[in-house]
Amino acid sequence: PPARGMPVPKQRARDTRRTISRIWRYLSRQRAGLVFTILFAIVGTGLGLLAPYLLGRAIDDYILDHDKSGLLRLCIMLGAVYLGNAAASWLQAHLMAGVSQKTVRDMRKDLFGHLQKLPIPFIDRSAKGDLMSRATNDIENVSTTLNQSLIQIVTSAITLIGSLALMFALNAWLTLVCLITIPLVSRASKSIASRTKKHFSDQQASLGRLNGFIEETLSGQKVVKTLRREGRAIEDFSEMNGALKSASVKAQTLSGYMGPVMNTMGHLTFILIAAVGGWMAYEEWTSVGVIVSFLNYSKLFSAPINDLANQYNLIQAGIAGAERVFELMDAESEYSESDPGKPVDTLTGTVVFDKVSFAYRQDKPVLREVSFRARPGDVIALVGPTGAGKTTVINLLTRFYDIEEGHGCISIDGEDIRGLDKDSLRGRLGIVLQDAYTFSDTIRENIRYGRLDATDEEIVAAAKLANVHSFVRKLPQGYDTMLTADGGNLSQGQRQLITIARAILANPAILILDEATSSVDTRTEVHIQQAMETLMQGRTSFVIAHRLNTVRHADQILVIDGGRIVERGTHEELLAERGFYERLYRTQFAGEAI
């Protein structure tokens, strides 16, 4: 199969507008929360815009006229305005937190749901750490951006429009002075934005690669230590960490220019207004109170631009994260909505491979015109050297991979499996893999994973048939014993027996055993073999095995070498042929060389 853990290439932000549009579709599901958030934003911003006007009135109407009672009333009014502004700001922040978290919850749910529908080839080609990074770090960046920046955009827009309207109402000439710097601000922000998009995308991609490397290194820590490759792992980590640091520094440094540039423009605007306004007041073309109000409005006018500039890196990180999330959501599902396939209700277990050829890569065929027939209840053993194509036969039977048109046919009960619904097909198959995987849950729930509606009595019955009950009842918590994800608190053989119990509970029509006894000692192998024989009774079974003594009683043994079936027959028939199988058998049990 394609190499696992392949690094994801660096990506640029390709379509910011489309990404924002897709985020908005998620946001629009929280209409009520958004409406009230915007309502409180309007109220709070409106009160904030009222304050500078009241300050100007205080100077012109009360301070210059020495009206203490009027000044006191206006100060009380001003205090109420500021308190109302604070209350509205708190309410909008509280509501926005709920809106953003619900939005990200929906995105995370859709992403995880889509991950379950991705085909195995896609998972094989992708670095697991990068997939995890998209589902965690990138989603969290979107959450932070929505929570902190979205409401800032809303309030900034209201503040800009409101302050500009009030500035025109106070003095049109001073407003034109204030607008002189707008082209400079626009040009500077556009120039910085065009340079930072790439670096934020590179930063997220580098973070995904680093997470992938950490995940793989921790998963293979025993191998790292056994082969004394700690130093090499540290070197590789340092290289990836350095690449992440470099991309992050470039992104943060460039985006950091935005704030100082906007502040400089704001200060320049303030100086111009103060100079022109002071001259106009001196010439008595306007009042001092109007100039004070106008200076405050100029600050309000430039503040939103500065706030957005200071949050620009956060916004870009959120957009880059969302783009990576949506890219994964856009990966093609293995299920076709237009043609889901024929549902599989029951199977008798007749399996036919008819001249099946397959290649993971076009230039390297793995199977070459493989043909065989399994009757209901038959035990078919697949043996041969490593890389011969045994596991590929299973990958095709389970439709983890599909053969192309013109490269043969695989049928079950006379139906081409390419026309069957994948979910219902796999629901009639039972698979026990060499890697006995358990989940972070109790032994009871790990067995129940085979059939989620099974009762506790059915679970115990399956456990007894699989020789699990004998060791579980000796544990302090019994079936309620918690397991780790890798089953570290059980032996390999015990984990394998649990997976067999899981398969017994599922009651499949066709059974697949992939090297199920290859990693255990001889005594444990006897228990597993007994459980497997119980499981195989009355079912069409496919057994991949390196230990040939486990397949001596198979109805048909297929010897695969170089992607072809080179021999077939029963154990006794193949030994009598004195061919490839007989040499394999002698090698294992007589120590002779092939």
Side-chain angles (χ1 to χ4, degrees):
R4 297 172 181 259
M6 292 175 64
V8 178
K10 292 184 177 181
Q11 301 170 10
R12 296 174 180 264
R14 291 181 295 276
D15 195 341
T16 299
R17 182 177 298 179
R18 181 170 179 267
T19 300
I20 293 174
S21 175
R22 293 183 69 171
I23 294 174
W24 173 249
R25 288 203 291 271
Y26 278 96
L27 266 174
S28 61
R29 300 178 186 177
Q30 312 301 325
R31 289 187 180 88
L34 275 176
V35 167
F36 281 104
T37 299
I38 294 173
L39 178 62
F40 283 116
I42 293 172
V43 172
T45 306
L47 291 172
L49 290 170
L50 180 61
Y53 174 75
L54 294 177
L55 285 173
R57 287 285 307 278
I59 294 172
D60 286 346
D61 296 348
Y62 303 114
I63 294 177
L64 294 180
D65 291 343
H66 303 285
D67 185 351
K68 292 182 180 179
S69 60
L71 181 62
L72 178 61
R73 288 194 304 272
L74 192 138
C75 286
I76 293 172
M77 186 184 300
L78 194 60
V81 166
Y82 282 127
L83 284 174
N85 174 265
S89 298
W90 181 85
L91 286 170
Q92 74 181 28
H94 176 72
L95 288 170
M96 193 61 224
V99 169
S100 64
Q101 289 306 314
K102 289 176 182 177
T103 299
V104 171
R105 174 202 63 191
D106 292 344
M107 288 181 65
R108 191 181 291 115
K109 179 182 177 181
D110 288 351
L111 176 61
F112 187 78
H114 189 68
L115 281 171
Q116 306 311 306
K117 299 176 182 178
L118 292 178
I120 291 296
F122 181 91
I123 301 297
D124 284 340
R125 291 193 302 268
S126 303
K128 306 304 179 290
D130 182 68
L131 297 180
M132 291 171 60
S133 182
R134 295 182 191 229
T136 53
N137 294 329
D138 291 325
I139 286 277
E140 190 58 33
N141 282 339
V142 176
S143 172
T144 303
T145 299
L146 291 178
N147 194 37
Q148 297 185 21
S149 299
L150 180 62
I151 196 63
Q152 185 68 59
I153 294 172
V154 174
T155 55
S156 295
I158 298 171
T159 302
L160 280 170
I161 296 170
S163 58
L164 185 61
L166 289 168
M167 286 163 65
F168 266 114
L170 287 172
N171 193 296
W173 291 107
L174 284 176
T175 305
L176 293 176
V177 172
C178 182
L179 295 177
I180 289 175
T181 57
I182 294 299
L184 295 176
V185 171
S186 176
R187 185 176 182 84
S189 60
K190 185 176 181 180
S191 176
I192 295 172
S194 64
R195 289 173 170 80
T196 53
K197 285 182 181 179
K198 172 186 181 299
H199 296 300
F200 273 107
S201 293
D202 289 350
Q203 174 183 302
Q204 295 303 110
S206 296
L207 181 60
R209 286 193 293 273
L210 185 65
N211 284 338
F213 179 78
I214 293 172
E215 189 270 336
E216 290 176 354
T217 304
L218 291 178
S219 298
Q221 192 62 211
K222 289 182 180 178
V223 177
V224 173
K225 290 184 177 297
T226 301
L227 299 178
R228 296 174 289 112
R229 291 295 182 268
E230 296 94 336
R232 176 61 180 272
I234 292 172
E235 289 177 5
D236 291 344
F237 176 85
S238 297
E239 181 179 346
M240 295 182 187
N241 196 30
L244 175 58
K245 185 266 301 180
S246 177
S248 298
V249 167
K250 290 177 181 177
Q252 301 294 336
T253 300
L254 281 173
S255 65
Y257 291 157
M258 190 75 81
V261 169
M262 297 302 105
N263 284 331
T264 300
M265 298 297 179
H267 294 324
L268 177 60
T269 303
F270 191 86
I271 292 170
L272 287 172
I273 292 172
V276 175
W279 175 74
M280 292 176 70
Y282 180 79
E283 294 292 337
E284 296 184 351
W285 292 352
T286 189
S287 67
V288 174
V290 169
I291 300 303
V292 171
S293 295
F294 205 94
L295 287 171
N296 278 279
Y297 281 127
S298 72
K299 279 290 188 183
L300 286 177
F301 182 75
S302 60
I305 301 175
N306 293 338
D307 290 340
L308 290 177
N310 290 329
Q311 292 200 26
Y312 185 75
N313 57 343
L314 181 63
I315 294 171
Q316 284 300 314
I319 292 174
E323 193 170 58
R324 281 166 49 81
V325 169
F326 292 139
E327 181 184 49
L328 190 53
M329 286 187 183
D330 290 339
E332 186 176 355
S333 167
E334 69 170 332
Y335 301 103
S336 172
E337 295 182 2
S338 60
D339 184 19
K342 181 180 178 180
V344 180
D345 297 323
T346 58
L347 292 178
T348 60
T350 300
V351 179
V352 177
F353 273 58
D354 183 16
K355 296 181 179 180
V356 172
S357 297
F358 179 77
Y360 294 104
R361 288 175 16 186
Q362 293 297 326
D363 57 334
K364 291 188 177 181
V366 179
L367 295 182
R368 306 168 189 265
E369 296 192 342
V370 170
S371 297
F372 64 85
R373 180 185 183 87
R375 296 169 300 182
D378 276 357
V379 176
I380 307 297
L382 306 174
V383 303
T386 300
K390 303 184 297 296
T391 300
T392 301
V393 171
I394 302 306
N395 284 340
L396 297 178
L397 181 60
T398 54
R399 293 198 66 192
F400 289 154
Y401 292 80
D402 279 329
I403 57 176
E404 297 179 1
E405 291 290 340
H407 289 77
C409 174
I410 303 173
S411 63
I412 298 179
D413 293 354
E415 295 276 358
D416 188 329
I417 63 172
R418 286 172 295 191
L420 300 179
D421 175 66
K422 287 184 179 180
D423 260 355
S424 56
L425 170 63
R426 292 170 186 166
R428 307 305 301 160
L429 303 178
I431 307 174
V432 179
L433 301 173
Q434 177 182 1
D435 182 17
Y437 192 85
T438 57
F439 298 89
S440 298
D441 210 328
T442 62
I443 292 177
R444 186 190 316 278
E445 294 306 316
N446 266 279
I447 297 175
R448 200 194 303 273
Y449 207 78
R451 181 161 59 86
L452 297 180
D453 61 351
T455 64
D456 289 348
E457 291 75 17
E458 290 174 322
I459 290 171
V460 173
K464 288 179 178 178
L465 290 174
N467 291 327
V468 171
H469 186 72
S470 57
F471 73 81
V472 170
R473 61 189 178 87
K474 298 177 183 177
L475 299 173
Q477 285 80 39
Y479 285 91
D480 294 320
T481 301
M482 288 294 298
L483 302 182
T484 58
D486 59 355
N489 47 346
L490 293 180
S491 69
Q492 171 71 18
Q494 289 172 330
R495 295 198 302 272
Q496 194 64 276
L497 289 173
I498 286 176
T499 64
I500 293 175
R502 189 186 290 164
I504 290 175
L505 191 65
N507 192 27
I510 297 175
L511 181 65
I512 297 167
L513 302 171
D514 188 357
E515 309 271 12
T517 63
S518 63
S519 314
V520 297
D521 58 80
T522 304
R523 183 172 178 272
T524 304
E525 181 182 352
V526 173
H527 290 292
I528 294 177
Q529 193 65 33
Q530 292 172 349
M532 286 167 52
E533 289 173 1
T534 301
L535 180 58
M536 287 188 290
Q537 288 179 5
R539 296 181 173 89
T540 304
S541 302
F542 292 85
V543 182
I544 297 178
H546 278 139
R547 297 183 181 181
L548 300 185
N549 64 316
T550 63
V551 297
R552 296 178 64 173
H553 302 295
D555 296 294
Q556 184 177 186
I557 298 174
L558 305 178
V559 184
I560 302 177
D561 185 33
R564 300 181 185 277
I565 297 178
V566 294
E567 294 177 2
R568 69 181 75 205
T570 64
H571 175 71
E572 290 75 15
E573 290 171 348
L574 292 175
L575 286 181
E577 287 184 12
R578 302 186 65 81
F580 194 89
Y581 179 84
E582 192 265 347
R583 293 197 299 274
L584 284 176
Y585 189 80
R586 280 194 290 111
T587 300
Q588 286 193 13
F589 295 99
E592 297 178 22
I594 295 178

